[in-house]
């Protein structure tokens, strides 16, 4: 593969229907890669098979197709990639400390624990220095998760939309989970391994993942993988400022009952400053018009009569 080929991706978690925010993300990832003459791939992030039924994933793939968004490569399914995540976890263990954590959900969500902006917690290293006999004892009662030690060091990167970012992992999230207590590999690891293996050079995704990105950059460094160019796009919320949900009510399928794909694309393209006015359009026609510098930073408001305005 030409080392300069731009490769973008859309990586939905099929834990429900697609909403206008997911669709905007799919559109802009597609337009970003295609506007640079690059490839676009779809990856289904279904590591958690209990939350992510195959039917929901197939539904997303069909919805994307209705909007003219298809993958240039065979679709990657994370549920089939456990061996790759396991190999990466072993590689990480050879370079830094990975340790079992026996804390229960209730312990981790007690009022003394600091909450993170992304809904997670600042892990207080409770299980970091347990003795071997403590570990044996606790394992009798609790299946451990695996955590990776993070350095007390600032990670910086420049987001293509949100600009310069700095984060000290030790202060911002602490030692984070690589494998959950049910044996499922964590999103942070899976996303890095898969972006690396697919040669992804750019990641366009929702701003709710901006805070997680330094964790991913840390893993990329340890695994010897390049860091893609990140573009974190604004979230789409309802008129009350709430993030859209993946339920039927907010779904792209519901919009498709009353609007053509071209009308929906035109509205979203207008909201993202790709078009100067909302008008029905095929996604292919937007390719030459896309410019990441014009994408707004603020939240985009969506109302159910289908008006999307900044
Ligand atoms: N699977 C994640 C989601 O649906 C996105 C992950 C990513 O783009 O890195 O929110």
């Amino acid at each position: 593969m030409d080392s300069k080929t731009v490769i973008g991706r859309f990586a939905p978690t099929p834990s429900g229907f697609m909403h206008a925010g997911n669709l905007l993300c799919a559109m802009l990832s597609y337009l970003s890669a295609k506007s640079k003459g690059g490839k676009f791939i779809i990856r289904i992030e279904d590591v958690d098979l209990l939350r992510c039924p195959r039917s929901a994933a197939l539904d997303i793939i069909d919805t994307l197709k209705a909007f003219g968004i298809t993958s240039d490569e065979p679709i990657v399914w994370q549920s089939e990639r456990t061996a790759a995540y396991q190999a990466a976890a072993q590689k990480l263990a050879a370079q830094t400390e990975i340790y079992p954590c026996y804390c229960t959900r209730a312990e981790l969500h007690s009022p003394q624990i600091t909450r993170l902006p992304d809904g997670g917690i600042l892990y207080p290293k409770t299980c970091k220095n347990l003795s071997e006999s403590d570990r044996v004892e606790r394992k009798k009662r609790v299946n451990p998760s695996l955590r990776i030690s993070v350095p007390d060091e600032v990670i910086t990167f420049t987001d293509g939309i949100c600009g310069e970012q700095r984060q000290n992992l030790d202060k911002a999230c602490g030692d984070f989970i690589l494998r959950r207590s049910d044996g499922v590999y964590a999103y942070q690891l899976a996303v890095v391994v898969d972006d690396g293996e697919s040669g992804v050079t750019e990641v366009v995704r929702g701003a709710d993942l901006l805070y997680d990105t330094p964790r991913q950059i840390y893993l990329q460094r340890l695994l010897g993988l390049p860091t893609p160019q990140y573009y974190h796009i604004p979230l789409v919320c309802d008129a009350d400022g709430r993030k859209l949900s993946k339920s039927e009510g907010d779904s792209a399928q519901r919009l498709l009952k009353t609007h053509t794909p071209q009308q929906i694309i035109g509205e979203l393209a207008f909201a993202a400053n790709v078009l100067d006015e909302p008008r029905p359009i095929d996604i292919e026609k937007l390719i030459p018009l896309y410019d990441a510098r014009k994408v707004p930073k603020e939240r985009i408001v969506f109302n159910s009569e289908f008006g999307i305005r900044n």
Side-chain angles (χ1 to χ4, degrees):
M1 194 186 332
D2 173 357
S3 63
K4 289 192 202 70
T5 306
V6 167
I7 303 183
R9 51 63 155 189
F10 175 58
T13 300
S15 55
F17 295 105
M18 280 189 83
H19 55 59
N22 305 131
L23 190 54
L24 179 69
C25 184
M27 267 176 66
L28 298 191
S29 333
Y30 181 86
L31 292 176
S32 180
K34 295 287 171 178
S35 65
K36 298 176 189 118
K39 274 198 200 176
F40 173 77
I41 59 183
I42 296 175
R43 177 173 72 234
I44 300 296
E45 300 213 319
D46 60 344
V47 272
D48 189 341
L49 279 174
L50 289 178
R51 277 180 58 232
C52 300
R54 193 87 174 180
S55 57
L58 295 175
D59 221 65
I60 291 177
I61 295 167
D62 274 355
T63 306
L64 291 170
K65 206 183 279 170
F67 288 96
I69 302 175
T70 53
S71 185
D72 293 325
E73 296 284 342
I75 291 176
V76 176
W77 295 78
Q78 285 195 330
S79 54
E80 294 168 0
R81 296 200 21 87
T82 309
Y85 308 144
Q86 190 172 8
Q90 272 161 8
K91 200 166 168 190
L92 292 167
Q95 292 177 73
T96 189
E97 189 186 0
I98 292 181
Y99 59 89
C101 168
Y102 303 89
C103 295
T104 61
R105 224 190 121 67
E107 282 162 351
L108 293 174
H109 288 81
S110 77
Q112 290 81 6
I113 307 258
T114 310
R115 291 301 185 109
L116 305 181
D118 67 353
I121 54 128
L122 177 59
Y123 181 63
K125 302 193 174 115
T126 321
C127 296
K128 188 163 189 154
N129 297 312
L130 292 181
S131 66
E132 207 36 53
S133 59
D134 271 346
R135 285 186 177 158
V136 170
E137 208 36 53
R138 290 189 194 208
K139 201 166 177 203
K140 289 182 192 154
R141 278 172 286 129
V142 181
N143 262 342
S145 58
L146 286 183
R147 288 185 182 270
I148 183 164
S149 294
V150 297
D152 184 7
E153 179 188 304
V154 175
I155 291 197
T156 57
F157 70 102
T158 305
D159 187 82
I161 293 171
C162 305
E164 291 295 316
Q165 307 292 318
R166 296 170 60 81
Q167 192 187 85
N168 181 326
L169 292 179
D170 192 49
K171 314 254 175 330
C173 64
D175 298 347
F176 61 90
I177 291 189
L178 281 189
R179 201 184 68 198
R180 302 182 341 195
S181 58
D182 59 3
V184 173
Y185 282 94
Y187 158 68
Q188 311 291 356
L189 178 66
V191 74
V192 164
V193 171
D194 288 342
D195 282 342
E197 187 148 322
S198 302
V200 165
T201 61
E202 59 168 48
V203 170
V204 179
R205 61 185 180 190
D208 51 344
L209 290 167
L210 184 64
Y211 195 82
D212 293 42
T213 307
R215 271 172 263 180
Q216 296 170 20
I217 294 176
Y218 173 56
L219 295 180
Q220 285 154 3
R221 289 182 186 166
L222 289 175
L223 291 169
L225 295 169
T227 292
Q229 172 64 52
Y230 289 100
Y231 298 91
H232 285 89
I233 64 166
L235 296 180
V236 179
C237 56
D238 66 16
D240 299 325
R242 277 190 296 261
K243 239 182 88 177
L244 298 185
S245 76
K246 289 182 176 174
S247 65
E248 173 84 57
D250 279 345
S251 73
Q253 276 100 329
R254 192 184 63 77
L255 284 177
L256 281 168
K257 288 189 185 135
T258 42
H259 297 78
T260 64
Q262 288 78 5
Q263 283 174 320
I264 301 170
I265 287 172
E267 283 284 347
L268 286 167
F270 172 63
N273 289 339
V274 186
L275 278 180
D276 294 339
E277 52 170 1
R279 63 182 156 89
I281 191 162
D282 280 326
I283 191 150
E284 296 301 304
K285 299 235 169 65
L286 293 174
I287 295 172
L289 306 178
Y290 182 72
D291 180 353
R293 288 169 303 187
K294 291 196 195 157
V295 174
K297 295 184 184 41
E298 326 69 59
R299 287 181 162 219
I300 291 174
V301 177
F302 170 91
N303 74 49
S304 48
E305 292 88 62
F306 197 50
I308 293 180
R309 299 288 179 268
N310 290 327

